[in-house]
Amino acid sequence: MKIPQFDLTRQYEQIEPEIQSAIGHVLRSGRFILGAEGEAFEAECAAYLGVKYAIGVNSGTDALVIGLRTLGIGLGDEVITTPFTFFATAGTIHNVGATPVFVDIEPDTFNIMPDAAGAARTGKTKAVVPVDLFGQMAALEAVSAAVPGLPIIEDAAQSIGARRMIDGEWRMAGEVPTVGTFSFFPSKNLGGFGDGGMLVTQNDALAERLRRLRVHGGAKQYFHDEVGYNSRLDALQAAVLSAKLPHLAGWSASRRRNAAFYDAAFKDLPDVRTPVVRPENESIFNQYTIRVSRRDALQAFLKERGIGTAIYYPLPLHLQPCFAYLGYREGQCPESERAATEVLSLPIFPELSGSQLDEVAAGVRAFFGR
Ligand SMILES: Cc1ncc(COP(=O)(O)O)c(C=O)c1O
């Protein structure tokens, strides 16, 4: 039996009538950019995340660009982030003209080290972008405390619906930072049928500027206060995402169940380090990422058995050729560099059957002679 690392067709089979009806509605409406579906989805998202404003854009990447621009970040500014993330986190900092400043990750959660963020602050630092990697929120309150007064852009692309206990209260990803960004890339827990993204904030003035910047920078059509972007969520994507949103919590719970199954199955394997979810976090397990020293051999072994896996991420961003101009060398973010050689993400999607989970677990165990 072939087991892909990720399979979207099974989800579609479960909800096909809802999706078809939502799409039909948009096609009949004749409004394809944002539209009534866009507005409805923004309102649903804001309510779900506990934020005042949710603003739909073209992608998670655009959400980061517009978030950075809204905070006035540009040429000559520094923005602190982690090198162990998807490229867009740092690519967008570069693309608004600022300089990405990379600090290392905590080895158990793969998220930014708050103290390292504090230590990297200079007079030019204008923001920090913590990433909620693989479905688990970063220590946002600790990052904020480490850089007092600086805005925080939470890159929650992989973590919609994740929660963290902050000051005795469960807070959703996107709820507490200055600006939060999400991606609806198809493989996310809430994925569209194409690109899509969302910005969230609790701040009235920032929301107004975010809305302006996603439509060429003009509050009024054909009058432009500043130069912005064309980055709005399509009505078709919004309709699909609205139909999926009520299922999100259930899908993420299924992912947590699958994760608990693997945790138990690998418990007696000293060579496999299973993902650590801190007690103050509830992960949505966008990925289930183990650490092993013979990672490439394990991946090849599982592939032979028809089991798909993925390596997120094989080369940390501070060592990417495009960032050579920043002058980082190997050894400067040792935890990120080590993680890049050890991580392997196993299939975790909600529709995995019991026998598929058994087979993945058996494959990993067999590699270690168990
Ligand atoms: C951490 C992170 N940031 C940003 C993005 C960019 O999102 P998108 O692909 O929607 O542009 C992604 C996802 O692809 C991501 O995983």
Side-chain angles (χ1 to χ4, degrees):
M1 159 167 60
K2 272 213 176 305
I3 307 174
Q5 205 267 344
F6 184 61
D7 179 8
L8 268 170
T9 59
R10 309 258 296 276
Q11 184 191 74
Y12 182 61
E13 282 163 18
Q14 285 175 9
I15 55 170
E16 186 168 357
E18 296 160 58
I19 298 283
Q20 292 285 1
S21 143
I23 288 177
H25 204 261
V26 177
L27 299 187
R28 284 188 296 275
S29 80
R31 289 188 64 198
F32 299 112
I33 310 282
L34 281 173
E37 281 76 12
E39 278 172 33
F41 178 61
E42 287 180 341
E44 291 156 13
C45 236
Y48 178 70
L49 298 170
V51 296
K52 204 161 168 191
Y53 302 103
I55 294 152
V57 293
N58 262 343
S59 67
T61 302
D62 277 10
L64 284 164
V65 168
I66 294 173
L68 289 159
R69 282 281 316 276
T70 292
L71 293 171
I73 292 162
L75 214 58
D77 297 334
E78 293 178 358
V79 178
I80 297 168
T81 192
T82 141
F84 196 66
T85 174
F86 180 64
F87 181 74
T89 311
T92 51
I93 296 170
H94 168 100
N95 275 345
V96 300
T99 302
V101 174
F102 294 112
V103 302
D104 215 354
I105 52 165
E106 299 184 311
D108 59 342
T109 62
F110 304 110
N111 285 332
I112 194 166
M113 255 181 215
D115 291 348
R121 184 177 189 172
T122 72
K124 292 182 182 170
T125 310
K126 290 288 156 39
V128 181
V129 183
V131 181
D132 301 333
L133 209 71
F134 300 152
Q136 173 167 214
M137 281 174 70
L140 297 180
E141 71 292 355
V143 173
S144 286
V147 291
L150 277 189
I152 305 289
I153 302 181
E154 179 184 4
D155 182 347
Q158 301 182 5
S159 293
I160 190 160
R163 302 192 301 168
R164 180 175 174 85
M165 184 67 77
I166 299 177
D167 296 332
E169 269 186 70
W170 282 110
R171 311 301 290 267
M172 301 286 277
E175 196 182 344
V176 298
T178 318
V179 171
T181 66
F182 293 93
S183 162
F184 303 121
F185 186 79
S187 65
K188 305 302 190 213
N189 287 34
L190 182 63
F193 289 178
D195 279 315
M198 185 73 81
L199 283 147
V200 296
T201 185
Q202 309 280 15
N203 180 295
D204 301 352
L206 288 179
E208 203 184 307
R209 190 163 187 207
L210 292 170
R211 279 191 206 289
R212 263 206 321 267
L213 280 174
R214 78 171 167 179
V215 201
H216 296 296
K220 202 166 124 201
Q221 205 175 16
Y222 307 124
F223 293 86
H224 301 270
D225 312 303
E226 56 185 330
V227 179
Y229 304 88
N230 173 20
S231 185
R232 292 158 291 180
L233 189 63
D234 287 340
L236 280 168
Q237 298 304 341
V240 166
L241 293 164
S242 271
K244 286 188 172 194
L245 185 60
H247 298 280
L248 175 61
W251 288 330
S252 295
S254 298
R255 286 170 180 265
R256 279 193 291 277
R257 271 199 301 280
N258 294 346
F261 172 87
Y262 286 143
D263 285 350
F266 305 144
K267 210 172 170 168
D268 61 333
L269 302 182
D271 295 325
V272 175
R273 274 171 291 158
T274 52
V276 174
V277 178
R278 297 261 181 95
E280 62 273 26
N281 276 342
E282 184 179 71
S283 174
I284 60 155
F285 280 102
N286 182 241
Q287 298 298 337
Y288 182 90
T289 303
I290 59 171
R291 296 183 71 143
V292 287
S293 54
R294 288 189 296 137
R295 188 266 316 276
D296 293 348
L298 172 59
Q299 183 175 44
F301 181 86
L302 293 173
K303 189 173 175 204
E304 276 289 297
R305 294 172 74 118
I307 298 169
T309 59
I311 296 172
Y312 305 119
Y313 297 92
L315 184 65
L317 302 186
H318 66 296
L319 301 178
Q320 293 286 345
C322 66
F323 290 135
Y325 75 94
L326 296 171
Y328 288 92
R329 290 175 316 280
E330 240 178 274
Q332 281 187 285
C333 293
E335 294 300 347
S336 302
E337 292 163 33
R338 196 168 305 126
T341 66
E342 294 182 350
V343 287
L344 191 66
S345 298
L346 304 180
I348 187 72
F349 58 92
E351 298 80 14
L352 279 170
S353 67
S355 57
Q356 288 180 312
L357 287 164
D358 281 337
E359 200 161 319
V360 176
V364 173
R365 293 183 64 79
F367 178 77
F368 291 104
R370 308 297 275 268

